[in-house]
Amino acid sequence: MNPVPLSTAAALAPARHWATDDLDPLRATLRARAGEVAEALLAPPTHRSRSELRWGRRGSLALAIAGPKAGLWHDHESGTGGDILDLIRRERRCGFAEAVQFARAFLGEPPPSRDGDKPPPPPALDDVAPSATLDLARRLWREAVPATGTLVEAYLAHRGLRLEPRMPLRFHPRAWRNAANGPPGAAMLALMTHPERNEPVGVHVTYLRPDGRGKADGASPKVMLGKRGVIRLSPDEEATLGLGIAEGIETSVCVMQRLGWRPVWAATCAGAVAGFPVLRGIEAITVFADADAAGMRAAEACARRWSEAGREATIWAPERGDWRDTACPEAA
């Protein structure tokens, strides 16, 4: 673990968005759940006792989780320390306001309401047909934070990919997960929208390892909540005459960044590729198919529908696997 000292500017930045009475309850909750937050930031500790957690081969970073100093940490190598908000700032290389935002998202707390000082809200999952998981999708998307500087970037980098500014991806530090599949944890969230109307309909969740180097362990590391839709990795204004689609998020990003093909949307699964509708104003569809039986059947069904509607349809498939395996072999 390489400590990152806080910059002078970050250390002196005033907390303009939160008054002291807002932060006292937050700090109290962070003290009570200090171990959970620290493990999300630092990965599992190397040493554990009833009153303290330690990280590093020599246990140089110590966090008190019980007693009068609960929630306080000290790095004996760098000589730095503080409370959990300070630890968030250090590990995420962010300012005070961003640390508070991360803490509230982790704890599932909504930000305080302040007239005239409200950040722009994320796209709302409203006015869509109800489903058993729609409320959960709305809550997770509302709690999530921008993906920049989070495990989402680390996860994509591990797959040989990079986060782009307009991708509809967010990060949730402790996302709900079906107990049969694993504990709640860090996750990449992707906004799913109706393919024709571009209305938010659900959230695609990919659970991540604590270091971002792959999907989380356990069954079903991915889940779709709400209604199934597409993930517009390229915005609508780029989809003028032609459009590319692929199944997974990672495969779609790989097509964009390694094959240089844009615009591309992620359909999320083979069934969604097979049922992908003919879109008004789009003259050509290119399906970047997975080279398995289900992937090819889905691509052929999609191409047939578009051809019968008088549109151009092309299928590109690798010799085996998917395009991410082929174009990003170093991260396979």
Side-chain angles (χ1 to χ4, degrees):
M1 179 171 48
N2 296 316
V4 181
L6 294 175
S7 69
T8 302
L12 298 179
R16 294 181 297 133
H17 295 287
W18 291 275
T20 302
D21 56 350
D22 293 327
L23 291 180
D24 285 346
L26 177 65
R27 290 185 189 277
T29 305
L30 287 172
R31 283 195 296 272
R33 298 177 60 181
E36 295 177 51
V37 181
E39 288 195 44
L41 293 166
L42 300 166
T46 53
H47 305 278
R48 185 189 301 266
S49 70
R50 291 184 178 181
S51 60
E52 188 178 66
L53 302 179
R54 285 182 174 265
W55 286 264
R57 287 182 297 176
R58 299 180 180 178
S60 58
L61 194 155
L63 169 70
I65 56 174
K69 294 186 177 181
L72 299 181
W73 60 276
H74 184 78
D75 189 326
H76 295 275
E77 289 188 12
S78 65
T80 57
D83 65 7
I84 293 298
L85 286 175
D86 294 319
L87 186 63
I88 294 171
R89 293 170 70 189
R90 188 182 89 156
E91 294 303 315
R92 291 176 56 79
R93 299 176 175 87
C94 67
F96 185 82
E98 291 83 358
V100 172
Q101 182 186 33
F102 178 92
R104 291 194 185 281
F106 184 92
L107 300 173
E109 295 183 4
S113 175
R114 294 198 174 278
D115 293 338
D117 195 20
K118 295 180 179 179
L125 288 168
D126 295 326
D127 302 322
V128 301
S131 76
T133 58
L134 181 58
D135 286 342
L136 178 58
R138 287 171 173 159
R139 177 172 66 80
L140 291 181
W141 186 253
R142 185 175 61 248
E143 292 171 356
V145 299
T148 303
T150 70
L151 285 183
V152 172
E153 277 196 314
Y155 170 70
L156 292 176
H158 179 65
R159 310 299 294 268
L161 307 169
R162 68 182 185 278
L163 178 69
E164 296 184 14
R166 299 185 67 182
M167 289 178 173
L169 304 178
R170 294 174 72 82
F171 172 67
H172 197 299
R174 190 173 173 79
W176 169 92
R177 192 174 184 188
N178 187 312
N181 297 329
M188 176 175 72
L189 271 57
L191 185 68
M192 295 189 295
T193 53
H194 192 284
E196 295 170 292
R197 299 191 298 273
N198 194 10
E199 298 170 352
V201 294
V203 169
H204 183 286
V205 184
T206 303
Y207 300 98
L208 306 177
R209 292 179 181 172
D211 60 2
R213 296 177 66 82
K215 297 183 180 69
D217 297 330
S220 301
K222 297 187 291 185
V223 66
M224 287 186 280
L225 304 173
K227 293 285 187 178
R228 187 174 72 189
V230 299
I231 299 166
R232 283 172 153 82
L233 294 166
S234 299
D236 272 12
E237 55 264 32
E238 293 184 12
T240 53
L241 298 177
L243 176 67
I245 62 170
E247 290 186 29
I249 297 172
E250 300 88 345
T251 300
S252 301
V253 177
C254 186
V255 168
M256 294 167 62
Q257 297 178 354
R258 292 301 185 93
L259 301 185
W261 209 106
R262 295 169 186 257
V264 178
W265 295 352
T268 70
C269 64
V273 170
F276 192 78
V278 177
L279 301 179
R280 181 182 303 175
I282 303 298
E283 298 300 323
I285 186 80
T286 301
V287 184
F288 293 88
D290 286 5
D292 54 30
M296 292 306 299
R297 284 196 302 269
E300 290 165 2
C302 177
R304 187 181 310 112
R305 181 183 307 103
W306 279 67
S307 295
E308 290 172 351
R311 312 295 176 87
E312 180 182 338
T314 304
I315 298 174
W316 283 12
E319 292 185 5
R320 58 182 179 276
D322 59 30
W323 282 105
R324 193 198 62 79
D325 298 328
T326 300
C328 303
E330 73 281 9

